[in-house]
Amino acid sequence: MKDHVRADWTGAILVCGKCSKKLGGGFGPKGRTPLGKALRQLLGLKRSRKAGLGVVEVGCLKVCPKGAVTLVDTGAPTRWHLVPAGMPVEQLARDLGIAQT
């Protein structure tokens, strides 16, 4: 029996699913795209273990900011981010150090 699978991730970004659902999108050009999807699109990532970075929507992180989404970068797990709706995803990627050059 296999007890693990290999992933090519160099890190993971955890996005609160409940916050995303409450906003009903909030990101992207028209403000209708969920944060996780907008980040994956910007970085050209697929939803798989073969991507270079994992962007995963998780259950409620129990922070619940108004008008924002809670995000955790597993590379710096002691600092959680409250990302306001409408924040440019390019700026967020730069702030997190995951922007593609």
Side-chain angles (χ1 to χ4, degrees):
M1 180 172 89
K2 200 171 195 179
D3 64 348
H4 69 279
V5 293
R6 187 179 66 80
D8 294 336
W9 293 2
T10 57
I13 304 295
L14 310 179
V15 180
C16 179
K18 188 173 181 181
C19 292
S20 291
K21 195 172 197 174
K22 278 185 175 181
L23 284 182
F27 299 92
K30 295 183 179 180
R32 295 184 191 152
T33 308
L35 181 57
K37 184 174 182 177
L39 273 173
R40 279 191 296 275
Q41 287 174 346
L42 173 72
L43 300 172
L45 300 172
K46 303 277 187 211
R47 293 181 74 177
S48 78
R49 60 188 177 86
K50 294 181 181 180
L53 176 74
V55 178
V56 182
E57 191 171 285
V58 297
C60 184
L61 293 171
K62 308 287 190 239
V63 176
C64 305
K66 290 186 189 254
V69 176
T70 305
L71 177 143
V72 180
D73 176 1
T74 60
T78 59
R79 183 173 182 196
W80 292 18
H81 302 267
L82 306 179
V83 183
M87 178 179 191
V89 182
E90 298 83 2
Q91 178 185 343
L92 175 62
R94 281 192 307 273
D95 292 349
L96 294 172
I98 60 172
Q100 291 183 333
T101 55

